[in-house]
């Protein structure tokens, strides 16, 4: 009556049961759904970004969020946002030939170049007025923030969430994973749109998240 | 001089915490297997409807001091509940949770279970019971246990070794087991004739299919007999060697392990050899662990594991993981302490593993990395890597159900296990263990007297204590000499005096049934048992669908006498011992033939 352990059949049954349960749990889990694999916390508002003087309205007093951004503007935002003076210098501004000391963004460009956050092109050219793409803008922003050394598979996990992730240049993947992880990227309909030009609105969005994060966690992280 | 002797004594009887931890795990594993094996015979041996009713047990076997919780009911369901309770206790012992209490519970329930069916006790049962008893006096949970992982005061132990009354008792128990086993082997077969190995290997009822391989060594039997005898008699004494104690221990462990492996290969002795092997684990010297530590962890990268410090179940989880994956070099830190990892942890709802050099890992990748670093579960890492998506999904499932997990894990409490702050209790426990160890040696000396045919009598209080705590011991396997006569049982199913079928009763490999049959083949020892057995067989045969029609059952034994070495031919003799009318009412008994 109490032959409880008819081992072979019960073993097979147990294995099948475990397999079934694992499949059931997994199928219900968010890993197989469209939910983002990470959820950054709430950002600050645009007013707070402006109040913090990270970006300023244009000459007409308007913000113009649809205006695209140049490399010089990006350098300015980065110097306003991050405490770059505290970071060690790795390059010399002498290598840049197309930005003169009387250029309006000279100081900002000098800082980002000497700290290795942005670099010039061939023949010492920085092209300060050149418009930047979203991939460049967010990647450089992440670079200034500090890129996490995520494992390659983790980076893939994070970027796979975006339907156009194949358009992301290989050099920018790691930095964009950090940017995405921190919520800096405004990716409507799960699209990063890496090849599109970066607008002031895009940057303000990134800054709002950065500011929110800074307020929430230690303001003296030195990140 | 005294101080030196004391220091040497202390060193000799000290045991390593890690050795004791693996001993605990092995002991719990053996207990688990033992219980599962017994479950198969639950109705036969532990219920009133089986072979041994409670009334029979009390009538035939109980002596003053005897007790058994298992006698509260003859019903299978109650017995099953007790088995489940005991399995749970064994599981807790395995993971080292409230270790001392579950050791006590395991021992008490085992003694109770053994007292419920004393007729089927084997040598292995006795060893297991004594080991559990001494375990109550040992610090088994300082390593590789839930107790250690969730220790509120993880003060560093002053030494990797412990010396106490418990360690003295366990060491003496190992020595007594072998030495007295040898001393009880007084037959000429172990000495003048040197034929004990030959006779042992001819006991067909307990030999394994590998035994014939040993039979090929016929010419070496006399030497093997001497080797076994002197190994048992002298070998364990080297554990006490004050010189090169570690080397001596290794020698003893190796030789006794070999001996037990040979026992296990040649004979169906149940768990006896495996329990002995587990016992040897407790004796592993510290030097082995230190060397392993160097070779295993020197090349491993150090890393930090950041967890959610506000989540109590997460904290428990990572501490348990570090303990059971054996990752002492991992730094566990609440992510909240770090301005970098805190936001990351919250964003990704994940713990973070950050090696000193290299990429950080989240979720299942972090677990895979931890497994890779584990000295014993490293083989699981590729499996997890292979099923990464599934593993991540499971991770998220777990992470999203932390409140429920918290509820479920509330029984796992942080508590202090350090006994260093209870010196008086330690001394008291040590003294009790020393006294009991002395009594254990006395019981073994008493078994020598019994073997010589004397009948030493214990005073009633001592007898009561011995029985109540299961302290009696006599290691009489193959003593004074191996059996020279094997008896294989069979039965005739009959109808109106005519034989309808004949059947051999094979219990090969089932040591408890083999033990039972010893009592049946010698019905004069406990005549009541033969009647019970015959009735049991009647009931079982009547249940079988393909059984021929019968109303009578006749039990017989085929006695086989082992011829002396170098002789040929076995003497057979069939002996009818019992006839049972299978249609009679219980009150109408069968008859001896």
């Amino acid at each position: 009556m109490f032959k409880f352990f008819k081992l072979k059949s019960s073993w097979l049954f147990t294995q099948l049961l475990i397999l079934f349960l694992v499949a059931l749990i997994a199928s219900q889990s968010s890993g197989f759904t469209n939910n983002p694999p990470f959820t950054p916390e709430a950002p600050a508002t645009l007013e707070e970004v402006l109040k913090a003087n990270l970006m300023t309205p244009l000459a007409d007093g308007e913000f113009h969020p649809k205006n695209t951004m140049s490399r010089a503007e990006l350098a300015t935002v980065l110097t306003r946002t991050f405490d770059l003076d505290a970071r060690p210098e790795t390059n010399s501004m002498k290598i840049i030939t197309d930005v003169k000391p009387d250029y309006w963004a000279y100081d900002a460009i000098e800082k980002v170049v000497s700290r290795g956050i942005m670099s010039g092109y061939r023949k010492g050219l920085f092209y300060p007025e050149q418009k930047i793409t979203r991939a460049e803008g967010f990647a450089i922003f992440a670079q200034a923030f500090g890129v996490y050394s995520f494992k390659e598979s983790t980076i893939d996990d994070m970027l796979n969430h975006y339907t156009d992730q194949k358009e992301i240049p290989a050099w920018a993947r790691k930095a964009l994973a950090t940017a995405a992880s921190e919520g800096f990227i405004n990716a409507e309909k799960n699209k990063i749109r890496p090849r599109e030009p970066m607008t002031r609105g895009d940057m303000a969005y990134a800054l709002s998240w950065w500011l929110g994060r800074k307020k929430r966690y230690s303001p003296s992280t030195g990140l | 001089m005294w101080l030196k002797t004391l220091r040497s004594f202390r060193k000799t009887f000290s045991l390593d915490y890690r050795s004791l931890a693996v001993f605990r795990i092995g002991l719990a594993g053996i207990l688990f297997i033992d219980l599962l094996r017994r479950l198969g015979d639950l109705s036969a041996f532990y219920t009133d409807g089986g072979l041994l009713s409670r009334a029979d047990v009390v009538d035939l076997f109980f002596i003053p001091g005897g007790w058994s919780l298992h006698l509260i009911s003859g019903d299978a369901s109650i017995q099953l509940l007790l088995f489940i309770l005991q399995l749970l206790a064994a599981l807790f012992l395995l993971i080292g949770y409230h270790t001392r209490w579950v050791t006590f519970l395991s021992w008490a329930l085992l003694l109770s279970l053994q007292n419920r069916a004393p007729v089927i006790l084997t040598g292995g049962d006795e060893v297991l019971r004594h080991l559990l008893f001494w375990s109550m006096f040992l610090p088994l949970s300082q390593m590789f246990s839930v107790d250690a992982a969730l220790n509120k005061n993880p003060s560093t132990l002053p030494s990797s070794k412990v010396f106490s009354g418990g360690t003295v008792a366990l060491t003496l128990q190992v020595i007594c087991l072998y030495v007295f086993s040898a001393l009880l082997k007084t037959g000429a077969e172990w000495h003048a004739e040197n034929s004990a190995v030959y006779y042992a290997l001819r006991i067909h009822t307990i030999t394994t299919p590998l035994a014939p391989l040993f039979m090929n060594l016929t010419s070496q039997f006399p030497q093997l007999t001497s080797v076994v005898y002197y190994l048992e008699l002298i070998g364990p004494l080297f554990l006490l060697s004050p010189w090169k104690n570690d080397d001596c221990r290794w020698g003893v462990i190796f030789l006794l392990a070999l001996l037990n492996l040979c026992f296990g290969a040649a004979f169906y002795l149940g768990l006896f050899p495996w329990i002995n092997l587990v016992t040897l684990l407790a004796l592993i010297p510290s030097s082995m662990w230190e060397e392993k530590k160097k070779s295993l962890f020197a090349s491993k990268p150090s890393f930090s594991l950041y967890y959610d410090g506000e989540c109590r179940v997460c904290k428990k989880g990572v501490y348990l993981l570090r303990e059971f994956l054996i990752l002492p070099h991992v730094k566990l830190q609440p992510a909240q302490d770090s301005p970098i990892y805190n936001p990351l942890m919250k964003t990704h709802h994940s713990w973070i593993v950050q090696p000193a050099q290299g990429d950080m890992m989240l979720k299942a990748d972090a677990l895979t990395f931890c497994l890779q670093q584990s000295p014993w579960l490293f083989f699981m890492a590729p499996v997890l890597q292979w099923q990464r998506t599934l593993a991540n999904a499971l991770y998220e499932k777990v992470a999203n159900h932390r409140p429920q997990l918290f509820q479920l894990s509330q029984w796992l409490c942080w508590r202090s296990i350090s006994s260093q702050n209870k010196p008086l209790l330690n001394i008291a426990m040590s003294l009790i263990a020393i006294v009991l160890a002395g009594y254990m040696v006395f019981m073994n000396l008493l078994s020598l007297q019994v073997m010589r045919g004397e009948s030493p009598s214990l005073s009633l209080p001592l007898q009561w204590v011995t029985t109540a705590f299961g302290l009696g011991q006599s290691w009489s396997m193959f003593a004074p000499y191996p059996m020279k006569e094997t008896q294989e049982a069979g039965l005739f199913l009959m109808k109106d005096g005519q034989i309808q079928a004949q059947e051999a009763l094979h219990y090969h490999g089932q040591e408890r049934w083999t033990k039972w049959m010893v009592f049946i083949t010698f019905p004069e020892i406990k005549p009541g048992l033969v009647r019970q057995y015959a009735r049991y067989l009647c009931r079982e045969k009547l249940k079988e669908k393909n059984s021929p029609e019968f109303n009578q059952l006749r039990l017989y034994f085929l006695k086989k006498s082992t011829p002396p070495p170098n002789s040929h031919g076995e003497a057979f003799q069939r002996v009818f011992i019992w006839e049972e009318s299978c249609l009679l009412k219980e009150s109408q008994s069968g008859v001896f033939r």
Side-chain angles (χ1 to χ4, degrees):
Chain A
M1 182 180 173
F2 281 92
K3 296 283 178 191
F4 294 98
F5 291 90
K6 291 185 174 171
L7 280 172
K8 280 182 187 168
S9 55
S10 61
W11 180 83
L12 191 67
F13 175 73
T14 314
Q15 296 292 312
L16 285 172
L17 188 70
I18 290 170
L19 214 66
F20 171 73
L21 285 174
V22 167
L24 189 73
I25 291 167
S27 66
Q28 289 181 359
S29 163
S30 55
F32 289 162
T33 67
N34 272 334
N35 296 334
F38 43 86
T39 48
E41 292 187 54
T45 60
L46 178 62
E47 285 71 32
E48 285 173 302
V49 171
L50 294 175
K51 202 176 161 189
N53 206 29
L54 303 181
M55 285 181 93
T56 49
L58 296 182
D60 61 358
E62 297 295 318
F63 186 73
H64 293 287
K66 299 261 166 125
N67 279 14
T68 53
M69 283 185 79
S70 68
R71 283 168 59 81
E73 283 174 299
L74 176 63
T76 309
V77 169
L78 293 180
T79 49
R80 287 179 179 186
T81 308
F82 301 104
D83 182 13
L84 298 185
D85 288 333
R87 302 191 192 181
E89 293 187 25
T90 52
N91 293 325
S92 168
M93 185 58 183
K94 285 177 189 165
I95 55 169
I96 302 296
T97 56
D98 62 340
V99 181
K100 302 297 172 199
D102 57 348
Y103 184 66
W104 68 271
Y106 179 86
D107 287 348
I109 293 170
E110 191 269 332
K111 265 186 196 168
V112 293
V113 169
S114 61
R115 267 70 179 182
I117 292 164
M118 288 178 83
S119 56
Y121 292 91
R122 277 184 299 174
K123 297 179 184 172
L125 298 172
F126 188 78
Y127 296 120
E129 298 300 324
Q130 183 176 290
K131 299 299 178 190
I132 51 170
T133 63
R134 280 163 58 85
E136 286 170 329
F138 288 127
I140 292 168
F141 190 84
Q143 203 70 45
F145 170 79
V147 173
Y148 295 132
S149 62
F150 287 128
K151 218 179 158 196
E152 209 56 49
S153 53
T154 310
I155 293 171
D156 291 343
D157 282 348
M158 284 191 224
L159 298 181
N160 279 344
H161 172 61
Y162 303 101
T163 53
D164 57 352
Q165 60 96 10
K166 282 186 181 162
E167 293 174 28
I168 299 169
W171 60 265
R173 286 181 72 82
K174 200 167 190 173
L176 283 193
T178 298
S181 161
E182 292 298 325
F184 297 155
I185 303 174
N186 52 341
E188 291 92 5
K189 295 179 184 171
N190 288 341
K191 284 186 182 230
I192 288 184
R193 295 177 280 120
R195 289 174 186 167
E196 288 184 19
M198 181 172 232
T199 63
R200 284 168 57 82
D202 294 338
M203 181 49 74
Y205 183 88
L207 288 170
S208 69
W209 281 93
W210 181 84
L211 202 58
R213 183 190 194 282
K214 193 183 172 193
K215 278 196 316 191
R216 195 164 297 109
Y217 304 111
S218 167
S220 56
T221 57
L223 284 167
Chain B
M1 175 69 186
W2 274 107
L3 204 66
K4 201 177 169 188
T5 313
L6 201 68
R7 207 175 291 146
S8 166
F9 180 81
R10 189 187 168 94
K11 193 180 165 196
T12 306
F13 284 99
S14 291
L15 296 175
D16 192 283
Y17 285 116
R18 292 156 289 191
S19 307
L20 287 172
V22 289
F23 166 70
R24 182 200 81 230
I25 293 167
L27 197 62
I30 290 278
L31 191 58
F32 219 81
I33 296 167
D34 180 50
L35 290 167
L36 291 180
R37 292 180 80 222
R38 283 175 189 265
L39 259 177
D41 295 322
L42 187 139
S43 61
F45 289 126
Y46 307 102
T47 63
D48 282 351
L51 292 162
L52 280 166
S53 70
R54 286 173 295 162
D56 282 344
V57 172
V58 175
D59 285 351
L60 300 171
F61 298 102
F62 259 50
I63 47 176
W67 65 275
S68 173
L69 191 65
H70 290 71
L71 289 174
I72 55 169
S73 168
D75 195 62
S77 53
I78 301 292
Q79 296 299 318
L80 185 61
L81 275 178
L82 286 168
F83 265 85
I84 291 169
L85 179 66
Q86 204 169 354
L87 280 166
L88 276 176
L91 184 69
F92 279 3
L93 183 62
L94 186 79
I95 61 171
Y97 185 61
H98 283 285
T99 310
R100 214 179 279 274
W101 282 109
V102 293
T103 309
F104 168 75
L105 187 64
S106 295
W107 166 78
L109 285 171
L110 184 72
L111 179 58
S112 163
L113 183 71
Q114 292 185 354
N115 283 345
R116 172 63 182 85
V119 68
I120 53 167
L121 281 190
T122 63
D125 291 324
E126 305 241 354
V127 184
L128 186 59
R129 189 181 72 234
H130 292 300
L131 291 182
L132 276 172
F133 183 75
W134 298 124
S135 293
M136 291 191 283
F137 299 93
L138 291 166
L140 299 182
S141 64
Q142 293 287 353
M143 296 278 173
F144 319 142
S145 69
V146 174
D147 285 345
L150 303 183
N151 188 4
K152 234 194 266 180
N153 301 315
S155 55
T156 316
L157 294 166
S159 155
S160 59
K161 284 180 173 185
V162 56
F163 169 77
S164 70
T167 61
V168 174
L170 184 70
T171 311
L172 284 179
Q173 178 65 80
V174 177
I175 293 169
C176 284
L177 170 64
Y178 292 99
V179 171
F180 282 94
S181 176
L183 291 176
L184 288 168
K185 292 178 168 83
T186 52
E189 293 77 2
W190 284 103
H191 303 282
E193 292 177 15
N194 277 329
S195 57
V197 169
Y198 162 81
Y199 281 115
L201 287 168
R202 297 295 291 264
I203 308 173
H204 302 303
T205 47
I206 59 165
T207 50
T208 68
L210 288 177
L213 292 178
F214 290 90
M215 289 303 283
N216 294 334
L217 302 169
T218 313
S219 56
Q220 274 86 47
F221 279 167
Q223 291 88 332
L224 278 177
T225 303
S226 297
V227 167
V228 171
Y229 179 77
Y230 287 107
L231 182 58
E232 288 189 337
L233 184 69
I234 300 167
L237 296 176
F238 281 91
L239 289 174
L240 305 178
S241 166
W243 299 279
K244 298 203 169 192
N245 186 270
D246 276 11
D247 293 339
C248 289
R249 272 191 192 213
W250 273 124
V252 173
I253 290 171
F254 175 75
L255 291 173
L256 293 183
L258 193 67
L259 179 72
N260 281 294
L261 284 172
C262 288
F263 278 155
F267 304 104
Y268 288 120
L269 298 172
L271 295 172
F272 180 75
W274 315 114
I275 296 168
N276 289 338
L277 285 173
V278 164
T279 315
L280 297 176
L281 293 176
L283 305 174
I284 294 174
S286 296
S287 53
M288 192 280 279
W289 297 108
E290 295 307 324
E291 273 170 36
K292 278 272 162 224
K293 200 171 158 184
K294 271 187 207 157
S295 64
L296 284 174
F297 298 118
S299 57
K300 300 271 182 194
S302 64
F303 64 96
S304 300
L305 200 157
Y306 295 91
Y307 62 93
D308 186 354
E310 289 165 3
C311 158
R312 277 184 276 182
V313 70
C314 306
K315 188 177 178 186
K316 280 180 196 170
V318 293
Y319 274 83
L320 286 169
L321 201 73
R322 181 172 72 173
E323 187 70 24
F324 285 103
L325 293 187
I326 315 177
L327 302 170
H329 55 303
V330 180
K331 205 170 158 193
L332 300 177
Q333 284 186 305
Q336 280 80 356
D337 289 357
S338 158
I340 298 173
Y341 297 104
N342 188 26
L344 262 178
M345 177 200 72
K346 290 197 170 163
T347 302
H348 293 274
H349 301 302
S350 172
W351 60 347
I352 299 157
V353 161
Q354 177 67 71
Q357 285 177 333
D359 296 336
M360 74 170 78
M361 279 147 285
L362 309 172
K363 300 183 180 177
D365 287 340
L367 181 60
T368 308
F369 182 80
C370 291
L371 286 170
Q372 276 168 350
Q373 307 309 312
S374 170
W376 73 287
L377 273 179
F378 57 88
F379 62 91
M380 292 290 289
V383 180
L384 223 60
Q385 232 157 7
W386 174 52
Q387 286 295 330
R388 190 170 167 275
T389 316
L390 189 67
N392 265 329
L394 283 172
Y395 178 88
E396 276 169 30
K397 199 77 189 167
V398 170
N400 293 337
H401 289 84
R402 291 191 298 182
Q404 290 90 329
L405 281 174
F406 170 70
Q407 292 294 333
L408 282 175
S409 66
Q410 267 184 321
W411 56 277
L412 284 170
C413 309
W414 292 87
R415 59 193 198 91
S416 178
I417 58 162
S418 175
S419 53
Q420 286 155 10
N421 46 11
K422 296 172 189 164
L424 279 178
L425 181 73
N426 282 347
I427 292 169
M429 290 287 276
S430 272
L431 285 176
I432 294 170
I434 295 272
V435 170
L436 288 168
Y439 190 65
M440 178 250 296
V441 176
F442 170 69
M443 290 308 294
N444 276 293
L445 289 169
L446 219 59
S447 72
L448 292 180
Q449 276 187 298
V450 174
M451 185 58 80
R452 282 199 294 268
E454 298 165 27
S455 38
S457 61
L458 285 174
S459 65
L460 195 63
L462 267 187
Q463 195 182 337
W464 194 93
V465 169
T466 308
T467 313
F469 292 96
L471 299 177
Q473 48 184 276
S474 170
W475 309 112
S476 56
M477 195 169 69
F478 301 130
Y481 51 83
M483 281 192 335
K484 293 180 178 179
E485 193 178 66
T486 55
Q487 311 205 14
E488 287 176 20
L491 58 81
F492 287 122
L493 294 178
M494 307 176 75
K495 190 180 179 193
D496 305 330
Q498 298 296 310
I499 295 172
Q500 302 297 310
Q502 183 184 1
E503 200 176 300
L505 295 162
H506 289 300
Y507 294 115
H508 217 59
Q510 304 173 61
E511 77 282 1
R512 296 191 202 290
W513 282 96
T514 310
K515 195 82 185 178
W516 169 263
M517 293 311 283
V518 171
F519 280 87
I520 302 303
T521 48
F522 297 101
E524 59 277 11
I525 302 176
K526 301 280 181 191
L529 296 183
V530 185
R531 184 183 64 228
Q532 290 294 350
Y533 184 53
R535 286 180 181 168
Y536 174 81
L537 287 175
C538 272
R539 289 196 296 274
E540 292 298 305
K541 290 290 152 198
L542 284 169
K543 274 186 224 165
E544 284 179 15
K545 283 176 187 164
N546 53 357
S547 241
E549 208 177 318
F550 69 99
N551 55 15
Q552 220 175 2
L553 182 142
R554 189 180 282 181
L555 266 178
Y556 69 85
F557 290 99
L558 206 56
K559 289 189 177 182
K560 288 182 190 173
S561 301
T562 307
N566 304 320
S567 308
H568 295 287
E570 287 172 313
F572 290 90
Q573 189 190 359
R574 178 178 283 167
V575 182
F576 286 97
I577 58 160
W578 190 261
E579 199 169 282
E580 184 71 24
S581 171
C582 293
L583 298 178
L584 292 180
K585 289 175 188 166
E586 290 284 300
S587 57
Q588 291 172 281
S589 177
V591 288
F592 275 118
R593 296 291 298 236

